[in-house]
Amino acid sequence: MKLYEQVAERLGEAISVGTLRAGDRLPSVRQLSASERVSVSTVLQAYVHLESLGFIETRPQSGHYVRRRQRPLPAEPQVSQPAASASPVSVSALVSRVYRAAGDPRVVPLGAAFPSPELLPARRLNRELALLAREAGEMAIEYDMPPGCLVTRQQVARRSLDWGCPLAPEDFVITCGASEAVHLSLSAVARPGDIVAIESPAYYGTLQVIESQGLRALEIPSHPRHGMELDALEAALTKRKVAAVLVVPSFSNPLGSCMPEENRQRLVRMLAGRGIPLIEDDIYGDLHFGPQRPRPAKAHDTEGLVLLCGSFSKTLAPGYRVGWVAPGRFREKVELLKFAQTVGMPTLPQLAIAAFLRSGGYDKHLRALRRQLASQVQRMVEAVGEHFPEGTCVTRPEGGSLVWVELPRKVDALVLHARALDAGISIAPGPIFSAQKRYGNFIRLSCGFPWSPRLEGALATLGSLARSLA
Amino acid sequence: MKLYEQVAERLGEAISVGTLRAGDRLPSVRQLSASERVSVSTVLQAYVHLESLGFIETRPQSGHYVRRRQRPLPAEPQVSQPAASASPVSVSALVSRVYRAAGDPRVVPLGAAFPSPELLPARRLNRELALLAREAGEMAIEYDMPPGCLVTRQQVARRSLDWGCPLAPEDFVITCGASEAVHLSLSAVARPGDIVAIESPAYYGTLQVIESQGLRALEIPSHPRHGMELDALEAALTKRKVAAVLVVPSFSNPLGSCMPEENRQRLVRMLAGRGIPLIEDDIYGDLHFGPQRPRPAKAHDTEGLVLLCGSFSKTLAPGYRVGWVAPGRFREKVELLKFAQTVGMPTLPQLAIAAFLRSGGYDKHLRALRRQLASQVQRMVEAVGEHFPEGTCVTRPEGGSLVWVELPRKVDALVLHARALDAGISIAPGPIFSAQKRYGNFIRLSCGFPWSPRLEGALATLGSLARSLA
């Protein structure tokens, strides 16, 4: 980074964390030159840069001010309208291209759904792990068979009280993140060729798992705020034999929708009456922006038909790969599948997570993380409004770290994805979120990283690319 | 353990490591009482205990001697003769019962195929991991996407030179042990309903994976020394459409057979000619008792049709779950499946294994481990000859840590398994190693633990249980 960019980055951060607010006057060029120990011309360059990004504005005779967003926030997208037929899935090749690009650290990471590592307690977790590695001895190198470490399951069970869905340690099987939890759950309840009902749009990883197991996806219309439309689901269930329903009721990926409590109850009852298993991916449940954590649908499960999946990948350490499933009556089946496919999980990361949770501070960490993500999502929505073409719609998620953007019809998200990548920006194009290859003019943007001039610049670039395609 | 058992255990260990050899005189009761600082009567009890186990013998007027085995070693089993039809697989429920029992630390562990943790460099590995956890910072908590850590793949590639099968870091995908490598490989090359040709008997974990993917198993006759019978395989391939062949050429589980080099070459050519993928599970390859490591069949692969699977679970740290697959032309597919099902592996265990390998000492460790396992296998074969009923046959593996025991026809291995468990001993009953539920009078015994009076006692108990069933 050039010197003036570094200065701009620091100022942008002060604006991002709220030290400087909309309408505030920035330090004078002379003041900043002195405090930053850079030349006046470097400060001027930094201010010009921030102004070009829309972060600040110059008022003649008066100085530089943090800019108020001029434009109203964009509208929200409508309820999705997928076709009412079940489709075999083949998104893998497309996903492959997308996620490969996202791995490059030089690329602005708007494509992948993980929180910035700087928001996670890396140091404390690694310290717990180092301590355990020194103390655990032979135990650390031995197989840990399913259902996984008891101390970890105890801590997850302890958390389940806070979810409003009290479960016991023996209800859980530890998995390689929520991804494997969903994979094993699907494998336990569905056979190749079976139909699985999912939200539309749906997380591409879930589509890939459905693809890899030879299942068919039935996309159900979904509301940007309330998630899967239950009337539509009910109608579909009367027409077709569905082996399982898979939902992300809390802050779904990519919609960010949150299913109301009464809908969760209705969903569980509807499926219980038909004996259909519900796979509930609760990976974003802890990331609510409002005061109350949404209760998992599993809380309404009286039949053992709900398989609740979660992980610490979005709140503590993706790279520790500690997830879980509470598979209800499918527990034995899930355990056997886990054993057959991977034998078990590494021991030490499980123990480190358990030690971290036992030692306290997780709730405090979560409060800070939620505040931060809420602010980042808000910034992203504003920036989309600022930079994207007229007619763009964007979701208003109340949790998680993703927004779903509907561009004018003419914009081809795959072309936009390719051009953005050329410009050093990764995004997730809409078609990977649908078995029917819908959402050709949608993109998903990640808000996992603290707002910065670099991000604002990326949004400006994306917006002008989108405009050129519209 | 009682005091006299502790004394017996220490003497047994001295015999086991060769400090005391067959025919050697043991210390006098008085000497041992002084050196062990226990009473004369405790020493006498220990000697009576060792004698009852057949470890030592008393010569009147002369003292106690390490006993020479009296009986000749049992014969080897014949080539297996499975039915020539493909079977759907359903071993999971049975396997579940077996592996649950094996997890109990009070049980003598003859049922599970892992080396005793005391034979593995737990302390050094954990130290590497602790150091890395302190140094790695945010990197340690971030997702590690397939194909997995480069430094780890570099070290595995470095090892592949020693296998006689040079591969590059980019040829490998890191997996959750060899189990997941095999699971992903099968998933990449076969669709539900497809037929997979396997050895007979075959590792029950592989049968479970075949079951979980809805594939059918075609068991091929296998020789106790040379593994899969290639004439039989060739005949089967002309009759049936086979989607893949899955073999463990080096020290298969449970047979311990090692496919001769010329057979490996013939196998690879036979399949290349038909365009059939070969999944090669090489997990025991490093555990050869002879001077030469067997070369993987992959060394003969010119078409990219061999998917080579391996791991460090049998040689370094099962609980770190670091395995790999070199999937040839199926690399992209395997990577996508890995991503879809688990996103990736935990970072730190991969890095710790790489650091251990880079720092040297793996070869020295392997030499000691091989010597130890060779001696343990030899002891086990002798003990089976000593204690088991007339007509028992046992394999003579030249690597690995398993023997396969054929009992007289009347002995029901499942009944023996249940009775042994009641007596605090876990074994693996034959029927879990066959999709056709064959091998009703076979058991697999693990030789992963240093020989000891406790083990000798367990073998004596097993032998008398088997006799009572014969």
Side-chain angles (χ1 to χ4, degrees):
Chain A
M1 244 196 263
K2 289 183 185 149
L3 196 54
Y4 79 89
E5 286 174 324
Q6 293 174 23
V7 174
E9 198 74 20
R10 279 193 287 276
L11 278 174
E13 209 167 286
I15 296 170
S16 173
V17 301
T19 310
L20 290 167
R21 290 164 180 282
D24 281 356
R25 190 170 187 276
L26 289 153
S28 75
V29 173
R30 255 167 229 292
Q31 279 173 329
L32 200 61
S33 159
S35 65
E36 290 274 340
R37 289 173 179 73
V38 296
S39 71
V40 165
S41 79
T42 300
V43 172
L44 282 171
Q45 267 183 299
Y47 278 178
V48 167
H49 181 56
L50 284 169
E51 197 171 1
S52 76
L53 294 173
F55 255 65
I56 66 172
E57 57 190 359
T58 313
R59 298 188 194 157
Q61 318 293 328
S62 173
H64 297 87
Y65 290 80
V66 180
R67 182 156 171 266
R68 281 182 221 283
R69 301 276 178 184
Q70 302 297 308
R71 297 171 59 181
L73 295 184
E76 294 175 77
Q78 301 293 305
V79 172
S80 66
Q81 301 291 349
S85 56
S87 330
V89 181
S90 63
V91 296
S92 276
L94 194 52
V95 171
S96 172
R97 272 197 288 153
V98 173
Y99 96 80
R100 253 168 237 286
D104 185 337
R106 291 162 304 180
V107 162
V108 183
L110 301 175
F114 52 80
S116 169
E118 70 197 281
L119 303 180
L120 303 178
R123 190 186 297 263
R124 264 192 69 199
L125 282 163
N126 290 339
R127 203 168 49 212
E128 296 283 7
L129 198 147
L131 270 173
L132 285 160
R134 289 188 183 278
E135 286 164 11
E138 286 174 0
M139 196 255 250
I141 65 157
E142 288 181 66
Y143 282 118
D144 169 62
M145 304 279 182
C149 292
L150 178 60
V151 288
T152 315
R153 289 183 288 121
Q154 281 167 337
Q155 289 300 319
V156 177
R158 170 65 196 78
R159 296 294 313 166
S160 73
L161 297 176
D162 302 332
W163 308 338
C165 176
L167 295 162
E170 51 273 22
D171 293 327
F172 290 97
V173 178
I174 301 295
T175 58
C176 191
S179 302
E180 197 192 26
V182 169
H183 161 64
L184 294 174
S185 296
L186 270 173
S187 203
V189 304
R191 309 290 310 156
D194 281 354
I195 294 175
V196 181
I198 57 172
E199 290 140 342
S200 182
Y203 169 48
Y204 58 82
T206 297
L207 291 172
Q208 283 184 293
V209 167
I210 291 174
E211 175 177 351
S212 82
Q213 295 188 18
L215 305 168
R216 284 177 297 159
L218 178 60
E219 294 182 46
I220 306 294
S222 299
H223 187 281
R225 288 201 175 221
H226 304 139
M228 188 180 275
E229 296 265 289
L230 298 187
D231 289 342
L233 175 66
E234 195 155 28
L237 295 183
T238 59
K239 278 194 223 130
R240 274 187 192 74
K241 194 171 154 15
V242 165
V245 176
L246 195 162
V247 290
V248 191
S250 300
F251 322 120
S252 67
N253 176 353
L255 274 184
S257 55
C258 187
M259 188 182 273
E261 175 75 14
E262 60 272 22
N263 286 22
R264 294 175 191 229
Q265 188 166 23
R266 182 182 161 202
L267 173 62
V268 172
R269 286 201 184 147
M270 185 196 300
L271 298 186
R274 290 170 167 83
I276 299 174
L278 174 66
I279 300 171
E280 178 178 23
D281 182 354
D282 191 41
I283 188 168
Y284 298 102
D286 275 348
L287 297 180
H288 52 96
F289 302 157
Q292 193 78 42
R293 189 200 197 279
R295 210 147 55 121
K298 174 87 178 168
H300 302 287
D301 181 27
T302 53
E303 309 300 313
L305 271 172
V306 180
L307 301 94
L308 176 67
C309 306
S311 93
F312 294 110
S313 295
K314 306 301 181 191
T315 56
L316 285 180
Y320 277 32
R321 310 302 307 118
V322 178
W324 62 80
V325 52
R329 64 166 81 157
F330 306 100
R331 183 173 176 276
E332 171 94 9
K333 189 85 191 282
V334 165
E335 252 187 64
L336 280 170
L337 286 166
K338 174 73 186 148
F339 177 73
Q341 294 183 6
T342 67
V343 181
M345 290 303 296
T347 314
L348 285 169
Q350 290 183 67
L351 297 179
I353 294 265
F356 179 92
L357 292 174
R358 210 170 35 227
S359 69
Y362 183 57
D363 284 308
K364 193 179 158 206
H365 159 65
L366 277 183
R367 280 192 297 273
L369 179 60
R370 282 182 208 123
R371 262 198 313 271
Q372 181 72 30
L373 292 180
S375 129
Q376 289 167 198
V377 165
Q378 177 62 24
R379 294 259 159 187
M380 184 65 84
V381 170
E382 289 170 5
V384 168
E386 182 81 22
H387 300 293
F388 275 46
E390 200 72 43
T392 297
C393 297
V394 62
T395 51
R396 305 275 191 284
E398 295 186 359
S401 64
L402 301 167
V403 297
W404 180 239
V405 181
E406 180 178 8
L407 295 156
R409 272 196 184 280
K410 273 196 190 155
V411 181
D412 183 330
L414 293 174
V415 175
L416 181 59
H417 168 257
R419 298 219 179 143
L421 211 51
D422 287 342
I425 304 163
S426 83
I427 59 174
I432 64 176
F433 297 94
S434 166
Q436 304 171 2
K437 304 267 166 59
R438 287 181 173 251
Y439 310 113
N441 58 320
F442 287 71
I443 59 172
R444 189 196 70 180
L445 297 177
S446 164
C447 317
F449 288 73
W451 203 251
S452 67
R454 186 177 180 231
L455 282 187
E456 186 83 30
L459 265 286
T461 305
L462 275 180
S464 80
L465 288 173
R467 253 194 305 274
S468 75
L469 294 170
Chain B
M1 245 195 262
K2 291 184 183 147
L3 196 55
Y4 79 87
E5 285 174 325
Q6 293 176 23
V7 175
E9 198 74 21
R10 277 194 288 275
L11 279 173
E13 207 167 288
I15 295 170
S16 172
V17 301
T19 311
L20 291 167
R21 291 165 179 280
D24 279 357
R25 192 171 184 276
L26 288 153
S28 75
V29 173
R30 256 168 227 293
Q31 280 174 329
L32 199 60
S33 160
S35 65
E36 289 276 340
R37 290 172 178 73
V38 296
S39 71
V40 165
S41 78
T42 301
V43 172
L44 282 171
Q45 268 182 298
Y47 277 0
V48 168
H49 181 56
L50 284 170
E51 196 170 1
S52 76
L53 293 173
F55 255 66
I56 64 172
E57 58 190 359
T58 313
R59 297 186 194 159
Q61 315 294 329
S62 172
H64 298 87
Y65 290 81
V66 180
R67 184 156 170 262
R68 281 183 221 281
R69 302 278 179 180
Q70 302 297 309
R71 297 170 58 181
L73 294 184
E76 293 176 76
Q78 302 293 305
V79 172
S80 67
Q81 299 291 349
S85 58
S87 328
V89 181
S90 63
V91 296
S92 277
L94 193 54
V95 170
S96 174
R97 275 197 286 152
V98 173
Y99 97 79
R100 252 168 237 285
D104 185 338
R106 290 162 304 182
V107 161
V108 184
L110 301 175
F114 51 81
S116 170
E118 69 197 282
L119 304 181
L120 303 177
R123 189 186 300 264
R124 264 191 68 199
L125 281 162
N126 290 339
R127 203 169 48 212
E128 297 283 7
L129 197 146
L131 269 173
L132 284 160
R134 289 187 183 280
E135 286 164 12
E138 287 174 0
M139 194 255 249
I141 65 157
E142 288 182 66
Y143 282 117
D144 168 62
M145 305 279 182
C149 292
L150 178 61
V151 288
T152 315
R153 290 182 288 121
Q154 281 168 337
Q155 289 300 320
V156 177
R158 170 64 196 78
R159 297 293 315 165
S160 73
L161 297 176
D162 302 332
W163 309 338
C165 175
L167 295 161
E170 53 273 22
D171 293 327
F172 290 96
V173 179
I174 300 294
T175 59
C176 190
S179 302
E180 196 190 29
V182 168
H183 161 64
L184 295 174
S185 295
L186 269 172
S187 204
V189 303
R191 308 292 310 157
D194 281 355
I195 294 175
V196 181
I198 55 173
E199 290 141 343
S200 183
Y203 170 49
Y204 58 82
T206 297
L207 291 173
Q208 283 185 292
V209 168
I210 291 175
E211 176 178 350
S212 81
Q213 295 188 17
L215 305 169
R216 284 177 296 159
L218 178 61
E219 295 182 44
I220 305 295
S222 299
H223 187 281
R225 288 198 174 226
H226 304 140
M228 188 178 275
E229 297 266 290
L230 298 188
D231 289 344
L233 174 66
E234 194 153 31
L237 295 182
T238 58
K239 276 192 224 131
R240 274 186 191 74
K241 191 171 155 15
V242 164
V245 176
L246 196 162
V247 290
V248 191
S250 299
F251 321 119
S252 68
N253 176 355
L255 274 184
S257 55
C258 187
M259 187 181 273
E261 175 75 14
E262 61 272 23
N263 287 21
R264 295 176 189 228
Q265 187 165 24
R266 182 181 160 203
L267 173 62
V268 172
R269 287 201 184 148
M270 186 195 301
L271 299 186
R274 291 169 167 82
I276 300 173
L278 173 66
I279 301 172
E280 177 177 26
D281 182 354
D282 192 42
I283 189 168
Y284 299 103
D286 275 348
L287 297 180
H288 52 97
F289 302 157
Q292 192 77 42
R293 189 200 196 281
R295 210 147 54 123
K298 175 86 177 170
H300 302 287
D301 181 26
T302 52
E303 308 299 313
L305 271 172
V306 180
L307 301 94
L308 177 67
C309 305
S311 94
F312 294 110
S313 295
K314 307 301 182 190
T315 55
L316 285 179
Y320 278 31
R321 313 299 308 118
V322 178
W324 62 81
V325 52
R329 64 165 83 158
F330 305 100
R331 181 171 177 277
E332 172 94 9
K333 191 85 190 280
V334 165
E335 252 186 65
L336 279 170
L337 286 167
K338 174 73 187 149
F339 177 74
Q341 295 184 4
T342 67
V343 181
M345 290 303 296
T347 314
L348 285 169
Q350 292 183 66
L351 297 179
I353 294 264
F356 178 93
L357 292 174
R358 209 172 33 228
S359 68
Y362 183 57
D363 284 309
K364 193 178 159 208
H365 159 67
L366 277 184
R367 280 193 296 274
L369 179 61
R370 282 183 208 125
R371 263 199 311 272
Q372 180 71 28
L373 293 179
S375 131
Q376 290 167 198
V377 165
Q378 176 62 23
R379 293 260 157 183
M380 183 65 83
V381 171
E382 288 171 7
V384 168
E386 182 82 21
H387 300 293
F388 275 44
E390 201 71 42
T392 298
C393 296
V394 60
T395 50
R396 304 274 191 287
E398 295 186 357
S401 64
L402 301 167
V403 297
W404 181 237
V405 181
E406 180 178 9
L407 296 154
R409 270 196 185 281
K410 273 195 189 159
V411 181
D412 183 330
L414 292 174
V415 176
L416 181 60
H417 169 257
R419 298 217 178 147
L421 211 51
D422 288 342
I425 304 162
S426 83
I427 59 173
I432 65 176
F433 296 94
S434 166
Q436 304 171 3
K437 303 269 165 55
R438 289 180 171 251
Y439 310 113
N441 59 320
F442 286 71
I443 60 172
R444 187 196 73 180
L445 297 175
S446 163
C447 316
F449 288 74
W451 202 250
S452 68
R454 187 177 178 228
L455 283 188
E456 186 84 30
L459 264 286
T461 305
L462 275 180
S464 79
L465 287 173
R467 253 194 306 274
S468 74
L469 294 169

